[in-house]
Amino acid sequence: MQTESHQWQSDVTRWQRELTAMRAWHERHPLNDSLPEVGSHQQALAEHERRVAAFEEELDRHEERIERGTGDPERETGDPARSAVRGDEMTLRTTYRALATAHQNLVADHERIAQGSV
């Protein structure tokens, strides 16, 4: 999980950079805001930014639990604290996959908008 969570954190950092770049592009190109597709994209962008930030907070809390020992990977499988952290990992993994897909779609939509294909 440690390696996986490090990859997730790396992806979150990259996503945040990409989201910031998309937001900046929209600020530099306000005339496109009148198109319904652009407005919809900006709403999706704002929602995705919130979801990525919430995921990052969950990931940080998960790492803190591991550091405090409540999620020590070396604990016995039947340990309730370990079981709770394993549940967290499954939830984080599912959330990550959904965010990764949403991010890919958002980037593709943005590229179409930036190229004037909407």
Side-chain angles (χ1 to χ4, degrees):
M1 175 64 192
Q2 284 294 79
T3 302
E4 191 172 37
S5 67
H6 289 294
Q7 178 61 49
W8 293 345
Q9 187 61 50
S10 174
D11 286 346
V12 164
T13 301
R14 178 178 50 83
W15 293 345
Q16 288 169 331
R17 280 193 313 268
E18 291 172 348
L19 291 168
T20 298
M22 284 187 265
R23 176 78 52 215
W25 185 90
H26 283 288
E27 289 171 4
R28 288 189 313 272
H29 299 86
L31 296 177
N32 292 327
D33 293 352
S34 61
L35 298 171
E37 296 88 350
V38 174
S40 175
H41 173 71
Q42 287 180 317
Q43 288 175 348
L45 179 61
E47 177 60 26
H48 188 62
E49 286 172 323
R50 285 189 290 277
R51 291 177 64 212
V52 167
F55 179 74
E56 184 176 35
E57 289 174 12
E58 283 298 316
L59 192 54
D60 289 345
R61 280 193 287 276
H62 179 71
E63 291 294 325
E64 288 168 10
R65 283 191 293 273
I66 289 173
E67 288 173 15
R68 283 194 317 263
T70 57
D72 185 350
E74 301 303 315
R75 285 182 181 237
E76 294 296 317
T77 304
D79 185 320
R82 178 69 184 134
S83 295
V85 169
R86 296 291 291 168
D88 288 350
E89 290 171 359
M90 290 171 49
T91 300
L92 286 167
R93 194 171 288 119
T94 301
T95 302
Y96 171 80
R97 288 180 187 140
L99 286 172
T101 299
H103 189 79
Q104 265 184 325
N105 293 338
L106 207 75
V107 168
D109 289 346
H110 182 76
E111 288 174 359
R112 280 192 294 279
I113 290 168
Q115 293 172 0
S117 304
V118 292

